């Protein structure tokens, strides 16, 4: 056994020194492991917090954008509804005007001259004209039919004025007798491929049957006036 100063190399001091050194190394290793574990845990916490923060921000932004989009859509819908209300209010006014005029015609037929309403003429396509259409089976040469056409034909000027001064695409009056008087500028659409004038099953059309619930009694007759509008 050798001695160095007061240490006996290889003796009990050497064993104690080795033991202490081992303990110190183990403590450093444990401390390092703890530090690394805590650092890893802290990183996970930070990453989780960042992810939750990102998700929260994304959700908040998405909700704000959806709310703004919804508000804009609602505002646009309200504006369009107001415009539609104004347009259809004009149509209602036009129909009421025709109803009032038709009432006068049927109440006082002797006060109005006999008017002639021509059948559609393809050469007038593009020019606003007042035209006569009938249902299948209506004989325009029948005296009763001619008499009604001559009377209701007086409304042609009003139909023409409404068509020319409004956004109405076709303005027309359809009668239970199968007679329609209309004003528009597309006469060529009233013809079949063979060149014959088309008849129209008007009293069974949805717009006519739908108007049946709002039938207006005029003297001893009933009539239904409808206006179609292009938006």
């Amino acid at each position: 056994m050798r001695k160095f100063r007061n240490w006996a190399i290889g003796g009990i001091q050497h064993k104690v020194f080795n033991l202490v050194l081992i303990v110190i190394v183990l403590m450093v290793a444990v401390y390092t492991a703890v530090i690394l574990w805590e650092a890893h845990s802290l990183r996970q916490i930070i990453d989780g917090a960042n992810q939750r923060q990102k998700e929260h921000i994304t959700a908040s932004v998405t909700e704000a954008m959806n709310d703004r989009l919804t508000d804009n859509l609602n505002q646009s819908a309200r504006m369009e509804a107001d415009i539609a209300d104004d347009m259809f209010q004009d149509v209602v006014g036009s129909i009421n005007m025709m109803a009032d005029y038709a009432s006068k015609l049927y109440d006082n037929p002797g006060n109005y001259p006999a008017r002639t309403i021509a059948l559609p003429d393809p050469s007038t396509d593009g020019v606003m004209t007042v035209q006569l259409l009938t249902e299948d089976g209506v004989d325009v040469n029948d005296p009763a039919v001619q008499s009604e056409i001559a009377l209701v034909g007086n409304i042609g000027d009003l139909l023409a004025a409404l068509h020319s001064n409004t956004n109405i695409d076709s303005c027309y009056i359809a009668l239970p007798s199968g007679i329609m008087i209309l004003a528009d500028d597309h006469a060529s659409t009233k013809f079949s491929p063979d060149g014959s004038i088309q008849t129209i099953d008007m009293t069974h059309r949805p717009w006519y049957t739908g108007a049946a619930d709002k039938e207006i009694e005029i003297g001893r007759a009933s009539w239904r006036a409808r206006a179609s509008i292009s938006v």
Side-chain angles (χ1 to χ4, degrees):
M1 179 183 300
R2 292 179 298 172
K3 289 186 178 182
F4 179 75
R5 295 185 178 178
N6 293 326
W7 287 82
I9 304 303
I12 187 66
Q13 292 91 345
H14 181 68
K15 293 179 180 180
V16 171
F17 175 80
N18 290 339
L19 182 60
V20 171
L21 183 61
I22 291 173
V23 171
I24 292 173
V25 171
L26 290 174
M27 290 180 63
V28 171
V30 170
Y31 179 77
T32 301
V34 171
I35 293 298
L36 292 176
W37 180 81
E38 290 181 348
H40 178 69
S41 298
L42 182 60
R43 172 55 61 184
Q44 288 183 326
I45 293 173
I46 293 174
D47 290 342
N50 289 339
Q51 182 63 31
R52 288 192 297 272
Q53 187 176 22
K54 290 179 182 178
E55 292 174 354
H56 177 71
I57 293 173
T58 300
S60 299
V61 172
T62 301
E63 183 179 1
M65 292 178 64
N66 287 337
D67 290 343
R68 184 59 181 270
L69 179 60
T70 300
D71 291 340
N72 290 339
L73 290 175
N74 288 337
Q75 185 176 1
S76 298
R78 286 192 295 269
M79 292 176 61
E80 292 176 0
D82 290 339
I83 294 173
D85 285 343
D86 291 340
M87 293 177 65
F88 282 104
Q89 191 62 40
D90 291 341
V91 173
V92 171
S94 299
I95 293 175
N96 288 335
M97 188 182 303
M98 287 192 291
D100 181 64
Y101 193 79
S103 295
K104 294 177 181 179
L105 290 176
Y106 279 98
D107 288 342
N108 302 285
N111 295 340
Y112 298 91
R115 298 291 296 271
T116 300
I117 304 297
L119 295 170
D121 181 354
S123 67
T124 62
D125 200 43
V127 179
M128 193 283 300
T129 57
V130 178
Q131 307 152 50
L132 171 67
L133 288 178
T134 65
E135 284 190 321
D136 187 30
V138 174
D139 183 7
V140 295
N141 295 316
D142 182 278
V145 173
Q146 289 183 338
S147 176
E148 187 168 23
I149 293 173
L151 174 63
V152 183
N154 284 279
I155 207 171
D157 293 337
L158 177 58
L159 297 179
L162 290 174
H163 180 274
S164 299
N165 297 287
T166 65
N167 291 322
I168 296 176
D169 179 63
S170 293
C171 189
Y172 48 92
I173 177 173
L175 304 174
S177 56
I179 297 170
M180 172 185 282
I181 297 175
L182 74 158
D184 64 27
D185 56 2
H186 35 86
S188 62
T189 61
K190 315 300 189 306
F191 291 83
S192 301
D194 61 2
S196 62
I197 297 177
Q198 295 179 342
T199 57
I200 177 171
D201 190 18
M202 63 190 75
T203 56
H204 295 89
R205 292 290 179 90
W207 54 261
Y208 188 96
T209 56
D213 295 334
K214 300 182 182 300
E215 181 175 301
I216 302 173
E217 294 295 333
I218 303 174
R220 291 171 297 175
S222 64
W223 73 286
R224 300 165 178 85
R226 301 292 293 174
S228 66
I229 186 168
S230 292
V231 180

